[in-house]
């Protein structure tokens, strides 16, 4: 029975990713043989218009779901003529399908708000971990920069013993979303 419930939960997780609601105007940014994992909208650059954070990955059959293909986060902004354009992208902020350990796919969510977005990755086994990265828009540099990286870990048998490490630009300097590499800030 446990195996059936586990298989059912994996199926629900996979199908939820495959049915991400993507507005028609954003679909041209999803490349051939790609699928959308997440699409969120907010005024990401403070200009009063609706922009998007889109996470895409290489389309794969169910047999390939554990591959370590990179995923790409795209920041799509609206220009003065109301046309969407790709502003920035990054291949490392959203962890790969197979990077979550026994827990499975580590991509948890993208949260957006005005001038800011956060990516949450979560995985592990008996030892659980999460990596959360927050980027804010800089009007001076006209880009999104890492403002906070939070690492958490705990043993699933003792979640009250949470270990948490918060890093800010004081620890890692100025990092543009296009140059972000999680391995360089640990």
């Amino acid at each position: 029975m446990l195996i059936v419930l586990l298989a059912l939960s994996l199926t629900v997780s996979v199908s939820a990713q495959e049915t991400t609601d993507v507005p028609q105007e954003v679909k041209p940014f999803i490349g051939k043989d790609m699928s959308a994992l997440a699409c969120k909208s907010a005024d990401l650059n403070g200009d009063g218009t609706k922009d998007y954070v889109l996470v895409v990955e290489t389309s794969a059959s169910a047999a390939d779901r554990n591959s370590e293909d990179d995923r790409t986060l795209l920041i799509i902004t609206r220009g003065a003529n109301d046309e969407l354009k790709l502003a920035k992208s990054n291949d490392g902020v959203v962890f790969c399908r197979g990077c979550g350990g026994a827990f499975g796919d580590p991509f948890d969510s993208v949260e957006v708000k005005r001038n800011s977005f956060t990516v949450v990755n979560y995985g592990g086994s008996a030892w659980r971990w999460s990596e959360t990265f927050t980027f804010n828009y800089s009007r001076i540099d006209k880009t999104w920069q890492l403002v906070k990286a939070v690492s958490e870990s705990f043993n699933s048998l003792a979640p009250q013993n949470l270990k948490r490490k918060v890093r800010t630009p004081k620890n890692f300097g100025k990092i543009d979303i296009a140059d972000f590499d999680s391995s360089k800030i640990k």
Side-chain angles (χ1 to χ4, degrees), residues 8-172:
L8 188 57
S9 70
L10 288 174
T11 302
V12 170
S13 173
V14 167
S15 61
Q17 290 177 351
E18 291 174 352
T19 59
T20 298
D21 187 29
V22 178
Q24 193 63 38
E25 67 178 346
V26 177
K27 288 182 180 180
F29 294 92
I30 302 172
K32 185 179 181 216
D33 298 325
M34 301 293 281
S35 59
L37 287 175
C39 184
K40 300 287 179 103
S41 65
D43 179 5
L44 296 171
N45 57 3
D47 67 356
T49 63
K50 184 175 173 179
D51 306 308
Y52 295 93
V53 172
L54 176 66
V55 178
V56 296
E57 73 174 344
T58 304
S59 298
S61 67
D64 294 332
R65 286 279 171 205
N66 289 324
S67 75
E68 293 193 12
D69 290 341
D70 286 336
R71 287 147 167 203
T72 303
L73 180 136
L74 306 171
I75 301 172
I76 303 165
T77 58
R78 194 172 302 279
N81 59 358
D82 206 37
E83 190 172 307
L84 293 177
K85 66 176 181 166
L86 177 62
K88 294 279 181 162
S89 68
N90 181 279
D91 292 330
V93 69
V94 177
F95 294 174
C96 71
R97 268 184 237 122
C99 295
F103 198 75
D105 186 346
F107 176 58
D108 185 69
S109 63
V110 172
E111 301 155 8
V112 297
K113 60 184 182 179
R114 188 171 197 267
N115 295 329
S116 181
F117 65 92
T118 300
V119 176
V120 181
N121 296 288
Y122 178 82
S125 183
W127 276 98
R128 304 283 170 87
W129 55 264
S130 70
E131 294 285 341
T132 303
F133 308 107
T134 300
F135 296 83
N136 286 353
Y137 185 72
S138 166
R139 287 187 304 258
I140 294 168
D141 297 322
K142 305 234 183 290
T143 190
W144 295 264
Q145 296 167 341
L146 184 65
V147 294
K148 185 166 55 169
V150 179
S151 299
E152 295 180 330
S153 65
F154 64 92
N155 187 300
S156 60
L157 298 175
Q160 69 278 11
N161 296 332
L162 177 72
K163 295 178 184 175
R164 187 170 205 254
K165 182 176 183 181
V166 178
R167 293 162 313 251
T168 65
K170 286 182 183 179
N171 307 107
F172 50 71

